[in-house]
Amino acid sequence: MKKYFFLVLVPALIISGTSFAASVEEGGKIFHRYCAKCHAGDGAVSDYGRSLKPKPARDLRTNHLFIAPKELPIIIKYGVYGREMPNWESVLSDAEVKDVAAYVRTLNYAPDPKEGERLFRQKCFACHGAEGPAKKLYGAPDLDMSPLQAFDMGRVIRYGRHGTIMSPKEDILTNPEIADIVTY
């Protein structure tokens, strides 16, 4: 259903008209004015953002691992269903949405492979480890041999893999933890 939601909304951004270049500097100003309350100035999630219910705000420093560049303006403009991320279409112009998206793309997280190894052993090894007890039972693939790129692997960890036992981990692992695992 989410895929259909995005496909329906993409034309709304295209129809809106004029082509404009995004300004990272302007996007930063807008981000700090409207978004930092939940996502913190560096995108790492504020205390307030962590307290949101039903789910906390997401760490935006890892956005490149989960969100395609064309999805980001749509998320900013229309919000996220099931989360406290509001829609900004009545507050920001299309140009400002593009500016914020450009700024968010500059946010960065330096993954920690050692932490990724620890998390992998704790959360993933049972199915994906060479000697993982569930490996034979479920046929989970060896991730060392995976053809998936980091973006795809991050999305599989976050959202699960349809038709398999791989369930979504977005409520178990934070975005930085997923980034650490993917880097490992």
Side-chain angles (χ1 to χ4, degrees):
M1 177 132 174
K2 288 181 186 176
K3 288 180 183 176
Y4 180 73
F5 178 76
F6 286 129
L7 290 174
V8 170
L9 296 177
V10 170
L13 287 176
I14 295 168
I15 293 171
S16 64
T18 318
S19 175
F20 39 81
S23 167
V24 172
E25 184 179 333
E26 287 303 312
K29 291 175 187 175
I30 297 165
F31 181 89
H32 288 283
R33 180 173 180 191
Y34 294 111
C35 312
K37 178 178 181 182
C38 297
H39 295 288
D42 65 352
V45 183
S46 67
D47 289 338
Y48 174 77
R50 279 190 279 286
S51 73
L52 292 175
K53 303 292 182 211
K55 296 180 180 183
R58 289 187 170 146
D59 187 312
L60 298 180
R61 299 171 302 162
T62 58
N63 73 83
H64 65 280
L65 195 57
F66 309 108
I67 302 169
K70 290 185 178 180
E71 289 177 307
L72 194 52
I74 295 166
I75 291 168
I76 295 166
K77 186 169 185 172
Y78 298 107
V80 178
Y81 179 78
R83 299 188 84 91
E84 288 295 314
M85 173 66 181
N87 69 66
W88 292 97
E89 68 182 318
S90 62
V91 177
L92 303 175
S93 69
D94 285 350
E96 290 171 323
V97 167
K98 267 191 157 178
D99 292 346
V100 172
Y103 175 76
V104 168
R105 282 291 182 199
T106 69
L107 300 175
N108 199 13
Y109 172 75
D112 180 351
K114 287 186 179 188
E115 179 63 8
E117 179 181 13
R118 185 190 72 75
L119 288 165
F120 179 85
R121 293 194 183 287
Q122 183 183 48
K123 308 278 187 186
C124 312
F125 186 80
C127 294
H128 294 286
E131 301 298 322
K135 185 157 190 69
K136 289 181 183 173
L137 183 63
Y138 300 116
D142 284 327
L143 298 179
D144 289 344
M145 303 304 286
S146 175
L148 298 177
Q149 298 298 315
F151 177 80
D152 300 312
M153 198 174 291
R155 286 178 75 117
V156 167
I157 295 169
R158 186 185 210 183
Y159 301 118
R161 188 165 199 129
H162 184 71
T164 71
I165 196 165
M166 179 66 184
S167 62
K169 306 300 184 228
E170 68 179 330
D171 292 333
I172 299 170
L173 297 167
T174 65
N175 287 356
E177 289 173 332
I178 294 172
D180 291 343
I181 291 169
V182 168
T183 300
Y184 164 71

